[in-house]
Amino acid sequence: MDYFRLLPEGCISDILSFTSPKDAVISSTISKGFNSAVESDVIWEKFLPEDFQDIASRYVSMRVCSSKKELYFSLCDSPVLIDGGKLSFSLDKKTGKKCFMISARELAITWAVDTPWYWEWISHPDSRFSEVAHLKAVSWLDIRGTIGTQMLSKGTKYVTYLVFKLAEGHEGLEIANAVVRFVNRVSDKEAEERASVVTLVGKKVWRRKHNMKRPQKRVDGWMEIELGSFSNDTGDDGDVEARLMEIKRLHGKGGLIVQGMEFRPE
């Protein structure tokens, strides 16, 4: 007997509000008593971030949805631009935790300002942002992205990724270093000393390194390379910075197309 069907819908809604979005969806397949409650706006509003109204006020274009459930899944499947197109915002489908991508224009890229012979700013048909950064030729590669921990979901471990493509004829991107640091706690020098080794190319690297991180293909067609991770416990740790760099081997580098840096739950 399905005893959940005997419970008032309000009681079931209270039960589901203490679960996760993933568990709420699964519950509707277990008992018919959960079906109507799972469609309730009350449930899905609780799964949205506490500061969602503030985030929504920063949308570049308003998104109209017929229910809170539809809104939730639209934010999981289709990131929305905020802050004049400087950032994109989305939700992790399983947990409802916040995800942000910083556009290339908002990253600190050495030699990318007013030096079009090093980096150029172009539009890209596959980018969610109006511009991407295209590396033409440098010897010193240094890309940083910074976000305030107060913007992120509390009690959550985050992983940071550089989201990119490689242009035809790319060169010098076989080996780089990556690190994530809390700006107020760890100095640049300390961070550089513990940086991990990464490659931006998918093929076998000419000088194989142990534990080298390699790029992965994303569902949106871009590539991503993990830069590092951190725990956002209470959201009061100030700024966190992710960095990709190759500042030791000063050979030529080119053919990197940067869409942005993404901070998302592990």
Side-chain angles (χ1 to χ4, degrees), residues 133-254:
H134 176 212
L135 171 59
K136 298 178 71 175
V138 296
S139 57
W140 184 285
L141 178 63
D142 197 348
I143 305 173
R144 305 176 189 234
T146 304
I147 195 168
T149 54
Q150 76 279 0
M151 292 178 58
L152 305 173
S153 297
K154 299 177 183 178
T156 303
K157 184 176 182 180
Y158 275 86
V159 184
T160 307
Y161 301 87
L162 182 77
V163 181
F164 69 97
K165 285 179 180 280
L166 295 176
E168 187 175 349
H170 61 81
E171 63 174 346
L173 303 174
E174 292 82 7
I175 295 179
N177 295 103
V179 69
V180 173
R181 70 181 179 110
F182 287 106
V183 175
N184 294 332
R185 296 185 193 171
V186 181
S187 68
D188 257 354
K189 183 178 180 180
E190 291 173 314
E192 290 173 9
E193 290 174 351
R194 62 178 177 81
S196 60
V197 181
V198 304
T199 178
L200 297 179
V201 297
K203 60 186 179 181
K204 187 179 293 185
V205 180
W206 58 273
R207 184 185 296 170
R208 188 171 181 84
K209 297 284 186 179
H210 293 295
N211 301 318
M212 176 181 283
K213 295 178 182 177
R214 298 176 184 275
Q216 301 295 321
K217 188 74 173 288
R218 294 162 54 96
V219 295
D220 60 8
W222 290 78
M223 302 293 292
E224 65 181 24
I225 184 68
E226 181 184 331
L227 303 179
S229 60
F230 62 97
S231 293
N232 187 41
D233 297 326
T234 58
D236 59 1
D237 289 311
D239 289 344
V240 61
E241 178 190 81
R243 184 181 182 192
L244 177 83
M245 57 188 163
E246 217 302 58
I247 56 178
K248 295 181 180 179
R249 294 167 285 272
L250 301 181
H251 54 269
K253 306 169 185 68

Side-chain angles (χ1 to χ4, degrees), residues 19-136:
T19 66
S20 67
K22 178 183 177 181
D23 291 335
V25 172
I26 292 175
S27 69
S28 64
T29 66
I30 298 174
S31 169
K32 291 183 178 179
F34 285 105
N35 286 346
S36 60
V38 168
E39 300 298 322
S40 169
D41 277 355
V42 174
I43 296 297
W44 293 98
E45 190 164 16
K46 290 185 178 180
F47 290 148
L48 293 172
E50 292 181 356
D51 60 346
F52 174 71
Q53 291 302 322
D54 173 65
I55 294 173
S57 70
R58 296 152 57 192
Y59 280 11
V60 171
S61 299
M62 294 305 298
R63 180 169 294 182
V64 179
C65 297
S66 61
S67 68
K68 289 296 192 297
K69 182 181 179 181
E70 181 184 341
L71 171 63
Y72 179 89
F73 283 105
S74 74
L75 290 171
C76 296
D77 298 330
S78 302
V80 62
L81 295 181
I82 62 173
D83 294 351
K86 297 176 181 179
L87 300 173
S88 74
F89 164 72
S90 60
L91 296 176
D92 178 72
K93 185 173 289 187
K94 293 181 179 180
T95 64
K97 303 286 188 178
K98 292 181 282 188
C99 311
F100 292 96
M101 187 188 294
I102 305 173
S103 70
R105 266 294 185 189
E106 292 303 300
L107 301 177
I109 305 177
T110 301
W111 303 115
V113 179
D114 298 328
T115 50
W117 48 92
Y118 294 136
W119 288 87
E120 64 176 348
W121 295 93
I122 60 174
S123 61
H124 195 288
D126 298 331
S127 176
R128 66 185 63 172
F129 302 111
S130 61
E131 290 181 305
V132 298
H134 176 212
L135 171 59
K136 298 178 71 175

